Amino acid sequence: MEELQKLPISGHTDTYCLIGDPVAHSISPAMHNLSFRMNGIDARYVAFQVRSEHLEEAVQGMRYLGIRGWNITMPHKRRMAELCDRLEMAGEIAGAVNTVKNVDGVLTGTTTDGTGWVESARDSGHDPTGRRIVQLGAGGAGGAILVQAAIDGAKHIDVFKRVNAKSADAQRMVDQLNEKTSCEVELHDLRDLRTLHACLADADILLNTTLIGMSGTPGCLIPDDSFFHEGLAVSDIIYEPRETELLRRARAAGCETFNGMYMLLYQGAASFRIWTGTDMPVDAVKKAVFS
């Protein structure tokens, strides 16, 4: 990293960034700056804390300053989709973006959160293509994962979420995916445990995208071990703690498990390719930043 800091910044150096609130904890700058150096790209990636009430002004500033691209984290993903000039299909269906590319002031947005999970699943030996998935939650990153898994060829996805004010948005996503992809997607009430049990009996992958299981929100949405079965892979996008109660119980029941650790790596790699047209040196970044 010291070598990186010594690289000169010139009048040709391109700028990329992360915007959100907060951002100081992010490892994205380390990930992208190492990738720029290893690929010989004259660019830097920085993090900007932007409050919600200043988002529109910040985006206009980046547009006209020629910031080449940026990632968006909470709480700006949905609002950023509204500020883009055009959206790729994943961002359009999800109604949220985490990646923007700026070409001559024209902003194109998409979401790579879903790609991050799909690639991390493949990395763990559980490619969702052609598989039956049960997904818990459909908001934020969950919505992006739902969209990308369907686009990438999942056979069937049963989505279980709480019935609330956002249920109409979830149903809109489900309807569009059934219309625009070959994946069959169904939306269910998270409280319907009988249907959840029946869907899991035929599922290849169980995925939790809710906050339940995080350090500040402990717990598990699966009532008992009868919901697990041999051959079921269980994933949680949470990576703090590394093993949630869901993953611990699933592993004890004989299921293979994987967490959200590498989802960030692979969503970053997808953003990097969108911006630069080159591949992120994933193995080197995994070793230097994630180990």
Side-chain angles (χ1 to χ4, degrees), residues 95-115:
V97 301
N98 80 325
T99 301
V100 172
K101 183 175 183 178
N102 179 11
V103 179
D104 297 327
V106 178
L107 308 184
T108 300
T110 191
T111 176
T112 65
D113 282 332
T115 299

Side-chain angles (χ1 to χ4, degrees), residues 18-226:
L18 168 70
I19 59 171
D21 185 18
V23 293
H25 64 287
S26 176
I27 63 174
S28 290
M31 181 166 60
H32 286 287
N33 285 319
L34 175 60
S35 300
F36 288 142
R37 175 171 65 84
M38 294 190 68
N39 284 28
I41 297 172
D42 185 8
R44 293 294 190 277
Y45 185 106
V46 295
F48 294 126
Q49 179 171 324
V50 178
R51 299 192 183 280
S52 295
E53 60 267 27
H54 301 144
L55 178 63
E56 188 167 351
E57 291 87 348
V59 169
Q60 290 298 88
M62 292 191 296
R63 182 199 300 266
Y64 297 119
L65 284 171
I67 305 296
R68 296 289 302 275
W70 53 91
N71 289 128
I72 305 93
T73 188
M74 297 301 292
H76 303 321
K77 294 183 181 182
R78 290 194 176 277
R79 178 61 179 139
M80 187 66 242
E82 298 171 355
L83 296 175
C84 288
D85 300 304
R86 59 186 299 267
L87 297 173
E88 300 290 355
M89 184 168 71
E92 181 179 2
I93 297 176
V97 301
N98 80 325
T99 301
V100 172
K101 183 175 183 178
N102 179 11
V103 179
D104 297 327
V106 178
L107 308 184
T108 300
T110 191
T111 176
T112 65
D113 282 332
T115 299
W117 180 79
V118 168
E119 290 303 320
S120 69
R122 288 171 176 160
D123 190 35
S124 70
H126 300 289
D127 189 339
T129 304
R131 303 293 186 88
R132 298 182 68 93
I133 301 171
V134 170
Q135 178 171 320
L136 308 179
I145 292 170
L146 170 62
V147 170
Q148 197 63 49
I151 290 174
D152 282 358
K155 181 178 181 180
H156 187 102
I157 306 175
D158 287 294
V159 186
F160 289 81
K161 76 172 298 295
R162 291 184 300 121
V163 176
N164 57 21
K166 296 182 180 179
S167 295
D169 289 336
Q171 188 62 59
R172 175 189 58 80
M173 273 195 295
V174 167
D175 291 342
Q176 289 193 55
L177 290 172
N178 282 320
E179 177 185 347
K180 297 180 179 182
T181 75
S182 61
C183 182
E184 298 175 347
V185 187
E186 295 186 57
L187 181 64
H188 309 278
D189 187 343
L190 186 58
R191 298 170 298 181
D192 186 353
L193 297 180
R194 180 175 296 182
T195 301
L196 176 59
H197 195 284
C199 290
L200 278 171
D202 294 326
D204 301 298
I205 300 172
L206 167 62
L207 167 63
N208 177 49
T209 71
T210 76
L211 300 178
I212 304 301
M214 291 184 69
S215 296
T217 315
C220 178
L221 290 170
I222 300 301
D224 60 67
D225 290 353
S226 71

Side-chain angles (χ1 to χ4, degrees), residues 242-256:
R242 297 290 177 89
E243 186 174 62
T244 61
E245 183 178 343
L246 170 65
L247 296 188
R248 178 182 59 77
R249 286 174 47 190
R251 180 174 55 81
C255 299
E256 294 189 19

